[in-house]
Amino acid sequence: MKAPEDRSWPVVLYVDDDAEDRMLMGDAIQIVNPRYQLVGVNDGNQAFRYLNHYRSSLPGLIILDLNLPGIDGIGIIDKLQQDKIFGSIPIVVFTTSASPADQNTCARHHVDMITKPISFSVLTDTVKKLLSYCKES
């Protein structure tokens, strides 16, 4: 877990256990808009450690995989949405799943779900959409 360098720039917290996916996301964000800082963590426990440490300066967006070790993505969403402070952070599920059941579960939680693209060029377009969810306060 890397601390953000300059908290005045928007921070995006990306929770994904795949290190290559986190690296590609970071590369795509730097191409699309380098003023955003990506903080990547492996799982829900690391995500909550980060959020609790930076409680006074929260990320503008959480990008979340569904299939994670320990608490899964939906469990993380439940915990975030139950917290008065964390519940205000926009969340987007970013997953390899295209399952209607996963889409319905995300919809019930009022969270958009975007399927991970298979090419980097499409990923940069997807990142533009993801960053549009970011709360910049």
PDB file of all heavy atoms in Angstrom, residues 89-129:
ATOM      1  N   ILE A  89     -18.186   7.891  -0.382  1.00  0.00           N
ATOM      2  CA  ILE A  89     -17.203   7.716  -1.455  1.00  0.00           C
ATOM      3  C   ILE A  89     -17.850   6.960  -2.616  1.00  0.00           C
ATOM      4  O   ILE A  89     -18.411   5.884  -2.413  1.00  0.00           O
ATOM      5  CB  ILE A  89     -15.970   6.926  -0.968  1.00  0.00           C
ATOM      6  CG1 ILE A  89     -15.353   7.578   0.259  1.00  0.00           C
ATOM      7  CG2 ILE A  89     -14.942   6.790  -2.093  1.00  0.00           C
ATOM      8  CD1 ILE A  89     -14.303   6.710   0.951  1.00  0.00           C
ATOM      9  N   PRO A  90     -17.770   7.495  -3.836  1.00  0.00           N
ATOM     10  CA  PRO A  90     -18.296   6.747  -4.984  1.00  0.00           C
ATOM     11  C   PRO A  90     -17.535   5.424  -5.166  1.00  0.00           C
ATOM     12  O   PRO A  90     -16.313   5.373  -4.988  1.00  0.00           O
ATOM     13  CB  PRO A  90     -18.050   7.675  -6.171  1.00  0.00           C
ATOM     14  CG  PRO A  90     -17.799   9.021  -5.597  1.00  0.00           C
ATOM     15  CD  PRO A  90     -17.234   8.799  -4.229  1.00  0.00           C
ATOM     16  N   ILE A  91     -18.275   4.391  -5.515  1.00  0.00           N
ATOM     17  CA  ILE A  91     -17.697   3.057  -5.736  1.00  0.00           C
ATOM     18  C   ILE A  91     -18.121   2.587  -7.120  1.00  0.00           C
ATOM     19  O   ILE A  91     -19.292   2.707  -7.498  1.00  0.00           O
ATOM     20  CB  ILE A  91     -18.219   2.038  -4.702  1.00  0.00           C
ATOM     21  CG1 ILE A  91     -17.939   2.503  -3.273  1.00  0.00           C
ATOM     22  CG2 ILE A  91     -17.625   0.653  -4.956  1.00  0.00           C
ATOM     23  CD1 ILE A  91     -18.709   1.708  -2.223  1.00  0.00           C
ATOM     24  N   VAL A  92     -17.174   2.013  -7.853  1.00  0.00           N
ATOM     25  CA  VAL A  92     -17.471   1.351  -9.117  1.00  0.00           C
ATOM     26  C   VAL A  92     -16.834  -0.035  -9.062  1.00  0.00           C
ATOM     27  O   VAL A  92     -15.658  -0.171  -8.731  1.00  0.00           O
ATOM     28  CB  VAL A  92     -16.913   2.128 -10.331  1.00  0.00           C
ATOM     29  CG1 VAL A  92     -17.238   1.391 -11.621  1.00  0.00           C
ATOM     30  CG2 VAL A  92     -17.462   3.544 -10.378  1.00  0.00           C
ATOM     31  N   VAL A  93     -17.621  -1.049  -9.368  1.00  0.00           N
ATOM     32  CA  VAL A  93     -17.092  -2.413  -9.455  1.00  0.00           C
ATOM     33  C   VAL A  93     -16.474  -2.578 -10.837  1.00  0.00           C
ATOM     34  O   VAL A  93     -17.093  -2.248 -11.854  1.00  0.00           O
ATOM     35  CB  VAL A  93     -18.201  -3.456  -9.199  1.00  0.00           C
ATOM     36  CG1 VAL A  93     -17.739  -4.851  -9.573  1.00  0.00           C
ATOM     37  CG2 VAL A  93     -18.636  -3.392  -7.738  1.00  0.00           C
ATOM     38  N   PHE A  94     -15.234  -3.081 -10.852  1.00  0.00           N
ATOM     39  CA  PHE A  94     -14.470  -3.280 -12.085  1.00  0.00           C
ATOM     40  C   PHE A  94     -13.985  -4.716 -12.054  1.00  0.00           C
ATOM     41  O   PHE A  94     -13.094  -5.064 -11.280  1.00  0.00           O
ATOM     42  CB  PHE A  94     -13.306  -2.279 -12.119  1.00  0.00           C
ATOM     43  CG  PHE A  94     -12.576  -2.200 -13.416  1.00  0.00           C
ATOM     44  CD1 PHE A  94     -13.234  -1.868 -14.590  1.00  0.00           C
ATOM     45  CD2 PHE A  94     -11.208  -2.418 -13.460  1.00  0.00           C
ATOM     46  CE1 PHE A  94     -12.546  -1.761 -15.787  1.00  0.00           C
ATOM     47  CE2 PHE A  94     -10.513  -2.303 -14.653  1.00  0.00           C
ATOM     48  CZ  PHE A  94     -11.177  -1.982 -15.812  1.00  0.00           C
ATOM     49  N   THR A  95     -14.598  -5.570 -12.859  1.00  0.00           N
ATOM     50  CA  THR A  95     -14.417  -7.010 -12.710  1.00  0.00           C
ATOM     51  C   THR A  95     -14.392  -7.714 -14.060  1.00  0.00           C
ATOM     52  O   THR A  95     -14.852  -7.151 -15.061  1.00  0.00           O
ATOM     53  CB  THR A  95     -15.554  -7.578 -11.821  1.00  0.00           C
ATOM     54  OG1 THR A  95     -15.361  -8.961 -11.614  1.00  0.00           O
ATOM     55  CG2 THR A  95     -16.924  -7.337 -12.444  1.00  0.00           C
ATOM     56  N   THR A  96     -13.889  -8.925 -14.081  1.00  0.00           N
ATOM     57  CA  THR A  96     -13.915  -9.733 -15.303  1.00  0.00           C
ATOM     58  C   THR A  96     -15.299 -10.330 -15.534  1.00  0.00           C
ATOM     59  O   THR A  96     -15.602 -10.788 -16.627  1.00  0.00           O
ATOM     60  CB  THR A  96     -12.884 -10.878 -15.245  1.00  0.00           C
ATOM     61  OG1 THR A  96     -13.128 -11.656 -14.073  1.00  0.00           O
ATOM     62  CG2 THR A  96     -11.466 -10.345 -15.234  1.00  0.00           C
ATOM     63  N   SER A  97     -16.132 -10.312 -14.514  1.00  0.00           N
ATOM     64  CA  SER A  97     -17.469 -10.901 -14.614  1.00  0.00           C
ATOM     65  C   SER A  97     -18.380 -10.076 -15.517  1.00  0.00           C
ATOM     66  O   SER A  97     -18.358  -8.850 -15.493  1.00  0.00           O
ATOM     67  CB  SER A  97     -18.105 -10.999 -13.227  1.00  0.00           C
ATOM     68  OG  SER A  97     -19.450 -11.422 -13.330  1.00  0.00           O
ATOM     69  N   ALA A  98     -19.175 -10.778 -16.294  1.00  0.00           N
ATOM     70  CA  ALA A  98     -20.254 -10.143 -17.055  1.00  0.00           C
ATOM     71  C   ALA A  98     -21.575 -10.801 -16.660  1.00  0.00           C
ATOM     72  O   ALA A  98     -22.566 -10.696 -17.365  1.00  0.00           O
ATOM     73  CB  ALA A  98     -19.996 -10.283 -18.551  1.00  0.00           C
ATOM     74  N   SER A  99     -21.562 -11.479 -15.532  1.00  0.00           N
ATOM     75  CA  SER A  99     -22.705 -12.249 -15.066  1.00  0.00           C
ATOM     76  C   SER A  99     -23.896 -11.355 -14.729  1.00  0.00           C
ATOM     77  O   SER A  99     -23.758 -10.370 -13.999  1.00  0.00           O
ATOM     78  CB  SER A  99     -22.276 -13.036 -13.814  1.00  0.00           C
ATOM     79  OG  SER A  99     -23.353 -13.293 -12.971  1.00  0.00           O
ATOM     80  N   PRO A 100     -25.075 -11.707 -15.247  1.00  0.00           N
ATOM     81  CA  PRO A 100     -26.281 -10.961 -14.870  1.00  0.00           C
ATOM     82  C   PRO A 100     -26.521 -10.970 -13.358  1.00  0.00           C
ATOM     83  O   PRO A 100     -26.992  -9.977 -12.807  1.00  0.00           O
ATOM     84  CB  PRO A 100     -27.397 -11.679 -15.614  1.00  0.00           C
ATOM     85  CG  PRO A 100     -26.721 -12.316 -16.794  1.00  0.00           C
ATOM     86  CD  PRO A 100     -25.357 -12.708 -16.287  1.00  0.00           C
ATOM     87  N   ALA A 101     -26.168 -12.059 -12.686  1.00  0.00           N
ATOM     88  CA  ALA A 101     -26.346 -12.115 -11.228  1.00  0.00           C
ATOM     89  C   ALA A 101     -25.470 -11.068 -10.548  1.00  0.00           C
ATOM     90  O   ALA A 101     -25.923 -10.368  -9.628  1.00  0.00           O
ATOM     91  CB  ALA A 101     -26.022 -13.511 -10.708  1.00  0.00           C
ATOM     92  N   ASP A 102     -24.205 -10.934 -10.980  1.00  0.00           N
ATOM     93  CA  ASP A 102     -23.323  -9.913 -10.417  1.00  0.00           C
ATOM     94  C   ASP A 102     -23.828  -8.513 -10.734  1.00  0.00           C
ATOM     95  O   ASP A 102     -23.808  -7.615  -9.892  1.00  0.00           O
ATOM     96  CB  ASP A 102     -21.886 -10.081 -10.929  1.00  0.00           C
ATOM     97  CG  ASP A 102     -21.178 -11.280 -10.319  1.00  0.00           C
ATOM     98  OD1 ASP A 102     -21.591 -11.738  -9.232  1.00  0.00           O
ATOM     99  OD2 ASP A 102     -20.209 -11.764 -10.942  1.00  0.00           O
ATOM    100  N   GLN A 103     -24.326  -8.323 -11.959  1.00  0.00           N
ATOM    101  CA  GLN A 103     -24.877  -7.022 -12.337  1.00  0.00           C
ATOM    102  C   GLN A 103     -26.080  -6.668 -11.466  1.00  0.00           C
ATOM    103  O   GLN A 103     -26.213  -5.529 -11.017  1.00  0.00           O
ATOM    104  CB  GLN A 103     -25.249  -7.023 -13.824  1.00  0.00           C
ATOM    105  CG  GLN A 103     -24.039  -7.086 -14.728  1.00  0.00           C
ATOM    106  CD  GLN A 103     -24.400  -7.316 -16.195  1.00  0.00           C
ATOM    107  OE1 GLN A 103     -25.539  -7.605 -16.536  1.00  0.00           O
ATOM    108  NE2 GLN A 103     -23.412  -7.182 -17.060  1.00  0.00           N
ATOM    109  N   ASN A 104     -26.942  -7.648 -11.223  1.00  0.00           N
ATOM    110  CA  ASN A 104     -28.118  -7.411 -10.374  1.00  0.00           C
ATOM    111  C   ASN A 104     -27.721  -7.106  -8.931  1.00  0.00           C
ATOM    112  O   ASN A 104     -28.310  -6.230  -8.294  1.00  0.00           O
ATOM    113  CB  ASN A 104     -29.066  -8.613 -10.416  1.00  0.00           C
ATOM    114  CG  ASN A 104     -29.770  -8.745 -11.755  1.00  0.00           C
ATOM    115  OD1 ASN A 104     -29.929  -7.771 -12.485  1.00  0.00           O
ATOM    116  ND2 ASN A 104     -30.177  -9.957 -12.096  1.00  0.00           N
ATOM    117  N   THR A 105     -26.726  -7.821  -8.429  1.00  0.00           N
ATOM    118  CA  THR A 105     -26.247  -7.576  -7.065  1.00  0.00           C
ATOM    119  C   THR A 105     -25.690  -6.157  -6.949  1.00  0.00           C
ATOM    120  O   THR A 105     -25.984  -5.446  -5.988  1.00  0.00           O
ATOM    121  CB  THR A 105     -25.179  -8.618  -6.670  1.00  0.00           C
ATOM    122  OG1 THR A 105     -25.767  -9.914  -6.727  1.00  0.00           O
ATOM    123  CG2 THR A 105     -24.646  -8.358  -5.269  1.00  0.00           C
ATOM    124  N   CYS A 106     -24.901  -5.743  -7.925  1.00  0.00           N
ATOM    125  CA  CYS A 106     -24.363  -4.381  -7.910  1.00  0.00           C
ATOM    126  C   CYS A 106     -25.487  -3.350  -7.991  1.00  0.00           C
ATOM    127  O   CYS A 106     -25.474  -2.351  -7.262  1.00  0.00           O
ATOM    128  CB  CYS A 106     -23.366  -4.191  -9.056  1.00  0.00           C
ATOM    129  SG  CYS A 106     -21.807  -5.070  -8.804  1.00  0.00           S
ATOM    130  N   ALA A 107     -26.463  -3.610  -8.836  1.00  0.00           N
ATOM    131  CA  ALA A 107     -27.593  -2.686  -8.974  1.00  0.00           C
ATOM    132  C   ALA A 107     -28.356  -2.557  -7.658  1.00  0.00           C
ATOM    133  O   ALA A 107     -28.756  -1.456  -7.271  1.00  0.00           O
ATOM    134  CB  ALA A 107     -28.519  -3.147 -10.094  1.00  0.00           C
ATOM    135  N   ARG A 108     -28.540  -3.667  -6.953  1.00  0.00           N
ATOM    136  CA  ARG A 108     -29.226  -3.627  -5.654  1.00  0.00           C
ATOM    137  C   ARG A 108     -28.451  -2.781  -4.640  1.00  0.00           C
ATOM    138  O   ARG A 108     -29.030  -2.218  -3.724  1.00  0.00           O
ATOM    139  CB  ARG A 108     -29.434  -5.035  -5.099  1.00  0.00           C
ATOM    140  CG  ARG A 108     -30.629  -5.749  -5.686  1.00  0.00           C
ATOM    141  CD  ARG A 108     -31.026  -6.982  -4.885  1.00  0.00           C
ATOM    142  NE  ARG A 108     -29.938  -7.871  -4.513  1.00  0.00           N
ATOM    143  CZ  ARG A 108     -29.435  -8.829  -5.294  1.00  0.00           C
ATOM    144  NH1 ARG A 108     -29.914  -9.016  -6.510  1.00  0.00           N
ATOM    145  NH2 ARG A 108     -28.455  -9.600  -4.861  1.00  0.00           N
ATOM    146  N   HIS A 109     -27.137  -2.727  -4.800  1.00  0.00           N
ATOM    147  CA  HIS A 109     -26.286  -1.923  -3.910  1.00  0.00           C
ATOM    148  C   HIS A 109     -26.072  -0.500  -4.451  1.00  0.00           C
ATOM    149  O   HIS A 109     -25.294   0.258  -3.881  1.00  0.00           O
ATOM    150  CB  HIS A 109     -24.938  -2.618  -3.703  1.00  0.00           C
ATOM    151  CG  HIS A 109     -25.013  -3.791  -2.793  1.00  0.00           C
ATOM    152  ND1 HIS A 109     -25.417  -5.034  -3.211  1.00  0.00           N
ATOM    153  CD2 HIS A 109     -24.750  -3.901  -1.468  1.00  0.00           C
ATOM    154  CE1 HIS A 109     -25.387  -5.861  -2.193  1.00  0.00           C
ATOM    155  NE2 HIS A 109     -24.991  -5.207  -1.118  1.00  0.00           N
ATOM    156  N   HIS A 110     -26.738  -0.184  -5.573  1.00  0.00           N
ATOM    157  CA  HIS A 110     -26.621   1.148  -6.206  1.00  0.00           C
ATOM    158  C   HIS A 110     -25.182   1.461  -6.588  1.00  0.00           C
ATOM    159  O   HIS A 110     -24.696   2.578  -6.391  1.00  0.00           O
ATOM    160  CB  HIS A 110     -27.200   2.239  -5.289  1.00  0.00           C
ATOM    161  CG  HIS A 110     -28.580   1.937  -4.832  1.00  0.00           C
ATOM    162  ND1 HIS A 110     -29.670   2.038  -5.673  1.00  0.00           N
ATOM    163  CD2 HIS A 110     -29.042   1.490  -3.642  1.00  0.00           C
ATOM    164  CE1 HIS A 110     -30.757   1.674  -5.001  1.00  0.00           C
ATOM    165  NE2 HIS A 110     -30.406   1.342  -3.780  1.00  0.00           N
ATOM    166  N   VAL A 111     -24.512   0.440  -7.128  1.00  0.00           N
ATOM    167  CA  VAL A 111     -23.123   0.570  -7.561  1.00  0.00           C
ATOM    168  C   VAL A 111     -23.046   0.124  -9.017  1.00  0.00           C
ATOM    169  O   VAL A 111     -23.562  -0.939  -9.376  1.00  0.00           O
ATOM    170  CB  VAL A 111     -22.191  -0.320  -6.684  1.00  0.00           C
ATOM    171  CG1 VAL A 111     -20.793  -0.365  -7.227  1.00  0.00           C
ATOM    172  CG2 VAL A 111     -22.189   0.177  -5.243  1.00  0.00           C
ATOM    173  N   ASP A 112     -22.414   0.934  -9.854  1.00  0.00           N
ATOM    174  CA  ASP A 112     -22.238   0.549 -11.251  1.00  0.00           C
ATOM    175  C   ASP A 112     -21.168  -0.522 -11.364  1.00  0.00           C
ATOM    176  O   ASP A 112     -20.208  -0.560 -10.583  1.00  0.00           O
ATOM    177  CB  ASP A 112     -21.845   1.756 -12.105  1.00  0.00           C
ATOM    178  CG  ASP A 112     -23.017   2.704 -12.336  1.00  0.00           C
ATOM    179  OD1 ASP A 112     -24.176   2.298 -12.097  1.00  0.00           O
ATOM    180  OD2 ASP A 112     -22.768   3.842 -12.749  1.00  0.00           O
ATOM    181  N   MET A 113     -21.334  -1.395 -12.349  1.00  0.00           N
ATOM    182  CA  MET A 113     -20.379  -2.469 -12.608  1.00  0.00           C
ATOM    183  C   MET A 113     -19.880  -2.331 -14.037  1.00  0.00           C
ATOM    184  O   MET A 113     -20.674  -2.217 -14.975  1.00  0.00           O
ATOM    185  CB  MET A 113     -21.050  -3.828 -12.411  1.00  0.00           C
ATOM    186  CG  MET A 113     -20.116  -5.003 -12.615  1.00  0.00           C
ATOM    187  SD  MET A 113     -20.965  -6.577 -12.284  1.00  0.00           S
ATOM    188  CE  MET A 113     -20.679  -7.404 -13.836  1.00  0.00           C
ATOM    189  N   ILE A 114     -18.567  -2.335 -14.194  1.00  0.00           N
ATOM    190  CA  ILE A 114     -17.939  -2.260 -15.508  1.00  0.00           C
ATOM    191  C   ILE A 114     -17.068  -3.496 -15.675  1.00  0.00           C
ATOM    192  O   ILE A 114     -16.286  -3.842 -14.789  1.00  0.00           O
ATOM    193  CB  ILE A 114     -17.088  -0.976 -15.640  1.00  0.00           C
ATOM    194  CG1 ILE A 114     -17.987   0.265 -15.510  1.00  0.00           C
ATOM    195  CG2 ILE A 114     -16.309  -0.964 -16.945  1.00  0.00           C
ATOM    196  CD1 ILE A 114     -17.245   1.580 -15.477  1.00  0.00           C
ATOM    197  N   THR A 115     -17.219  -4.164 -16.806  1.00  0.00           N
ATOM    198  CA  THR A 115     -16.413  -5.352 -17.088  1.00  0.00           C
ATOM    199  C   THR A 115     -15.040  -4.935 -17.599  1.00  0.00           C
ATOM    200  O   THR A 115     -14.930  -4.044 -18.442  1.00  0.00           O
ATOM    201  CB  THR A 115     -17.126  -6.249 -18.126  1.00  0.00           C
ATOM    202  OG1 THR A 115     -18.416  -6.602 -17.603  1.00  0.00           O
ATOM    203  CG2 THR A 115     -16.337  -7.515 -18.393  1.00  0.00           C
ATOM    204  N   LYS A 116     -14.004  -5.583 -17.060  1.00  0.00           N
ATOM    205  CA  LYS A 116     -12.633  -5.270 -17.462  1.00  0.00           C
ATOM    206  C   LYS A 116     -12.452  -5.571 -18.944  1.00  0.00           C
ATOM    207  O   LYS A 116     -12.827  -6.644 -19.418  1.00  0.00           O
ATOM    208  CB  LYS A 116     -11.627  -6.100 -16.662  1.00  0.00           C
ATOM    209  CG  LYS A 116     -11.551  -5.734 -15.206  1.00  0.00           C
ATOM    210  CD  LYS A 116     -10.549  -6.621 -14.480  1.00  0.00           C
ATOM    211  CE  LYS A 116     -10.509  -6.312 -12.997  1.00  0.00           C
ATOM    212  NZ  LYS A 116      -9.579  -7.208 -12.276  1.00  0.00           N
ATOM    213  N   PRO A 117     -11.857  -4.627 -19.677  1.00  0.00           N
ATOM    214  CA  PRO A 117     -11.609  -4.865 -21.109  1.00  0.00           C
ATOM    215  C   PRO A 117     -10.419  -5.802 -21.303  1.00  0.00           C
ATOM    216  O   PRO A 117      -9.608  -5.997 -20.390  1.00  0.00           O
ATOM    217  CB  PRO A 117     -11.302  -3.475 -21.649  1.00  0.00           C
ATOM    218  CG  PRO A 117     -10.770  -2.728 -20.477  1.00  0.00           C
ATOM    219  CD  PRO A 117     -11.468  -3.286 -19.268  1.00  0.00           C
ATOM    220  N   ILE A 118     -10.305  -6.340 -22.516  1.00  0.00           N
ATOM    221  CA  ILE A 118      -9.220  -7.285 -22.788  1.00  0.00           C
ATOM    222  C   ILE A 118      -8.003  -6.631 -23.437  1.00  0.00           C
ATOM    223  O   ILE A 118      -6.982  -7.267 -23.595  1.00  0.00           O
ATOM    224  CB  ILE A 118      -9.708  -8.476 -23.647  1.00  0.00           C
ATOM    225  CG1 ILE A 118     -10.299  -7.977 -24.958  1.00  0.00           C
ATOM    226  CG2 ILE A 118     -10.702  -9.325 -22.870  1.00  0.00           C
ATOM    227  CD1 ILE A 118     -10.626  -9.076 -25.940  1.00  0.00           C
ATOM    228  N   SER A 119      -8.092  -5.351 -23.803  1.00  0.00           N
ATOM    229  CA  SER A 119      -6.937  -4.685 -24.412  1.00  0.00           C
ATOM    230  C   SER A 119      -6.653  -3.366 -23.704  1.00  0.00           C
ATOM    231  O   SER A 119      -7.549  -2.737 -23.145  1.00  0.00           O
ATOM    232  CB  SER A 119      -7.178  -4.430 -25.901  1.00  0.00           C
ATOM    233  OG  SER A 119      -8.090  -3.385 -26.080  1.00  0.00           O
ATOM    234  N   PHE A 120      -5.392  -2.957 -23.738  1.00  0.00           N
ATOM    235  CA  PHE A 120      -4.989  -1.726 -23.067  1.00  0.00           C
ATOM    236  C   PHE A 120      -5.633  -0.507 -23.717  1.00  0.00           C
ATOM    237  O   PHE A 120      -6.006   0.437 -23.028  1.00  0.00           O
ATOM    238  CB  PHE A 120      -3.461  -1.596 -23.052  1.00  0.00           C
ATOM    239  CG  PHE A 120      -2.995  -0.451 -22.215  1.00  0.00           C
ATOM    240  CD1 PHE A 120      -2.977  -0.548 -20.832  1.00  0.00           C
ATOM    241  CD2 PHE A 120      -2.588   0.739 -22.796  1.00  0.00           C
ATOM    242  CE1 PHE A 120      -2.563   0.517 -20.037  1.00  0.00           C
ATOM    243  CE2 PHE A 120      -2.171   1.808 -22.018  1.00  0.00           C
ATOM    244  CZ  PHE A 120      -2.149   1.700 -20.635  1.00  0.00           C
ATOM    245  N   SER A 121      -5.785  -0.525 -25.033  1.00  0.00           N
ATOM    246  CA  SER A 121      -6.385   0.643 -25.701  1.00  0.00           C
ATOM    247  C   SER A 121      -7.826   0.843 -25.242  1.00  0.00           C
ATOM    248  O   SER A 121      -8.279   1.978 -25.064  1.00  0.00           O
ATOM    249  CB  SER A 121      -6.304   0.513 -27.221  1.00  0.00           C
ATOM    250  OG  SER A 121      -7.018  -0.622 -27.658  1.00  0.00           O
ATOM    251  N   VAL A 122      -8.542  -0.233 -25.034  1.00  0.00           N
ATOM    252  CA  VAL A 122      -9.918  -0.120 -24.530  1.00  0.00           C
ATOM    253  C   VAL A 122      -9.883   0.273 -23.049  1.00  0.00           C
ATOM    254  O   VAL A 122     -10.748   1.014 -22.581  1.00  0.00           O
ATOM    255  CB  VAL A 122     -10.702  -1.428 -24.758  1.00  0.00           C
ATOM    256  CG1 VAL A 122     -12.092  -1.348 -24.155  1.00  0.00           C
ATOM    257  CG2 VAL A 122     -10.788  -1.741 -26.248  1.00  0.00           C
ATOM    258  N   LEU A 123      -8.866  -0.188 -22.328  1.00  0.00           N
ATOM    259  CA  LEU A 123      -8.750   0.170 -20.912  1.00  0.00           C
ATOM    260  C   LEU A 123      -8.627   1.683 -20.740  1.00  0.00           C
ATOM    261  O   LEU A 123      -9.251   2.255 -19.846  1.00  0.00           O
ATOM    262  CB  LEU A 123      -7.551  -0.525 -20.265  1.00  0.00           C
ATOM    263  CG  LEU A 123      -7.285  -0.160 -18.798  1.00  0.00           C
ATOM    264  CD1 LEU A 123      -8.467  -0.510 -17.907  1.00  0.00           C
ATOM    265  CD2 LEU A 123      -6.011  -0.844 -18.308  1.00  0.00           C
ATOM    266  N   THR A 124      -7.871   2.351 -21.594  1.00  0.00           N
ATOM    267  CA  THR A 124      -7.744   3.809 -21.450  1.00  0.00           C
ATOM    268  C   THR A 124      -9.097   4.496 -21.652  1.00  0.00           C
ATOM    269  O   THR A 124      -9.415   5.447 -20.939  1.00  0.00           O
ATOM    270  CB  THR A 124      -6.672   4.399 -22.392  1.00  0.00           C
ATOM    271  OG1 THR A 124      -6.984   4.061 -23.736  1.00  0.00           O
ATOM    272  CG2 THR A 124      -5.291   3.912 -22.027  1.00  0.00           C
ATOM    273  N   ASP A 125      -9.901   4.009 -22.583  1.00  0.00           N
ATOM    274  CA  ASP A 125     -11.252   4.563 -22.750  1.00  0.00           C
ATOM    275  C   ASP A 125     -12.113   4.278 -21.519  1.00  0.00           C
ATOM    276  O   ASP A 125     -12.883   5.126 -21.072  1.00  0.00           O
ATOM    277  CB  ASP A 125     -11.930   3.978 -23.990  1.00  0.00           C
ATOM    278  CG  ASP A 125     -11.311   4.482 -25.287  1.00  0.00           C
ATOM    279  OD1 ASP A 125     -10.722   5.579 -25.288  1.00  0.00           O
ATOM    280  OD2 ASP A 125     -11.415   3.767 -26.299  1.00  0.00           O
ATOM    281  N   THR A 126     -11.968   3.084 -20.966  1.00  0.00           N
ATOM    282  CA  THR A 126     -12.724   2.700 -19.776  1.00  0.00           C
ATOM    283  C   THR A 126     -12.314   3.556 -18.582  1.00  0.00           C
ATOM    284  O   THR A 126     -13.162   3.946 -17.772  1.00  0.00           O
ATOM    285  CB  THR A 126     -12.515   1.203 -19.471  1.00  0.00           C
ATOM    286  OG1 THR A 126     -12.884   0.442 -20.621  1.00  0.00           O
ATOM    287  CG2 THR A 126     -13.337   0.753 -18.274  1.00  0.00           C
ATOM    288  N   VAL A 127     -11.026   3.865 -18.475  1.00  0.00           N
ATOM    289  CA  VAL A 127     -10.539   4.695 -17.372  1.00  0.00           C
ATOM    290  C   VAL A 127     -11.168   6.085 -17.428  1.00  0.00           C
ATOM    291  O   VAL A 127     -11.495   6.663 -16.392  1.00  0.00           O
ATOM    292  CB  VAL A 127      -8.992   4.752 -17.363  1.00  0.00           C
ATOM    293  CG1 VAL A 127      -8.479   5.902 -16.516  1.00  0.00           C
ATOM    294  CG2 VAL A 127      -8.438   3.430 -16.855  1.00  0.00           C
ATOM    295  N   LYS A 128     -11.360   6.619 -18.622  1.00  0.00           N
ATOM    296  CA  LYS A 128     -12.035   7.917 -18.739  1.00  0.00           C
ATOM    297  C   LYS A 128     -13.413   7.849 -18.086  1.00  0.00           C
ATOM    298  O   LYS A 128     -13.821   8.760 -17.357  1.00  0.00           O
ATOM    299  CB  LYS A 128     -12.170   8.327 -20.205  1.00  0.00           C
ATOM    300  CG  LYS A 128     -10.858   8.688 -20.857  1.00  0.00           C
ATOM    301  CD  LYS A 128     -11.047   8.966 -22.328  1.00  0.00           C
ATOM    302  CE  LYS A 128      -9.691   9.094 -23.017  1.00  0.00           C
ATOM    303  NZ  LYS A 128      -9.829   9.150 -24.476  1.00  0.00           N
ATOM    304  N   LYS A 129     -14.135   6.768 -18.343  1.00  0.00           N
ATOM    305  CA  LYS A 129     -15.459   6.598 -17.732  1.00  0.00           C
ATOM    306  C   LYS A 129     -15.336   6.433 -16.221  1.00  0.00           C
ATOM    307  O   LYS A 129     -16.095   7.050 -15.460  1.00  0.00           O
ATOM    308  CB  LYS A 129     -16.174   5.394 -18.349  1.00  0.00           C
ATOM    309  CG  LYS A 129     -17.551   5.158 -17.773  1.00  0.00           C
ATOM    310  CD  LYS A 129     -18.282   4.040 -18.455  1.00  0.00           C
ATOM    311  CE  LYS A 129     -19.668   3.895 -17.833  1.00  0.00           C
ATOM    312  NZ  LYS A 129     -20.451   2.848 -18.457  1.00  0.00           N
TER     313      LYS A 129
END
